[in-house]
């Protein structure tokens, strides 16, 4: 359990940026909470579910990701070891 299982996407402020980092290749990108919620699949999701369902955006990777929020939120040192 973590903060991710307590927070729904819909709890986030509009425009919240979510950093999505691939656990495999380390590629990172930002997703905007509103944009994710616009997707039916994530509209009711908790952040741990978003993390579980998102995949790396690199076509040939498709690895699992970890997500982190920006400055307004508690942000665990999580996973570690990835550049
Ligand atoms: Zn990747």
């Amino acid at each position: 359990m973590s903060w991710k299982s307590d927070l729904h996407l819909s709890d986030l402020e509009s425009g919240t940026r979510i950093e999505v980092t691939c656990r495999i290749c380390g590629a990172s990108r930002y997703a905007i909470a509103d944009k994710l919620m616009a997707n039916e699949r994530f509209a009711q999701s908790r952040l741990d579910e978003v993390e579980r369902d998102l995949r790396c955006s690199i076509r040939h990777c498709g690895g699992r990701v970890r997500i982190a929020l920006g400055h307004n939120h508690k942000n665990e040192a999580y996973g570690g070891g990835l550049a």
Side-chain angles (χ1 to χ4, degrees):
M1 298 294 281
S2 74
W3 57 271
K4 289 171 190 164
S5 49
D6 290 331
L7 266 182
H8 286 75
L9 268 182
S10 55
D11 294 330
L12 299 177
E13 287 176 36
S14 178
T16 298
R17 294 202 308 174
I18 300 171
E19 185 178 17
V20 181
T21 306
C22 179
R23 296 171 187 263
I24 305 300
C25 72
S28 67
R29 63 191 165 98
Y30 282 97
I32 306 296
D34 315 50
K35 294 272 173 57
L36 290 176
M37 268 188 290
N39 183 335
E40 261 180 41
R41 185 174 159 202
F42 293 128
Q44 306 294 327
S45 290
R46 299 188 312 262
L47 293 187
D48 61 341
E49 295 170 325
V50 173
E51 184 176 63
R52 192 181 64 214
D53 288 346
L54 280 179
R55 288 295 181 270
C56 179
S57 57
I58 307 293
R59 181 181 293 267
H60 297 294
C61 177
R64 298 195 61 187
V65 301
R66 63 194 161 95
I67 61 177
L69 295 179
H71 54 279
N72 289 334
H73 296 273
K74 192 169 63 173
N75 195 353
E76 292 175 325
Y78 189 85
L82 288 174

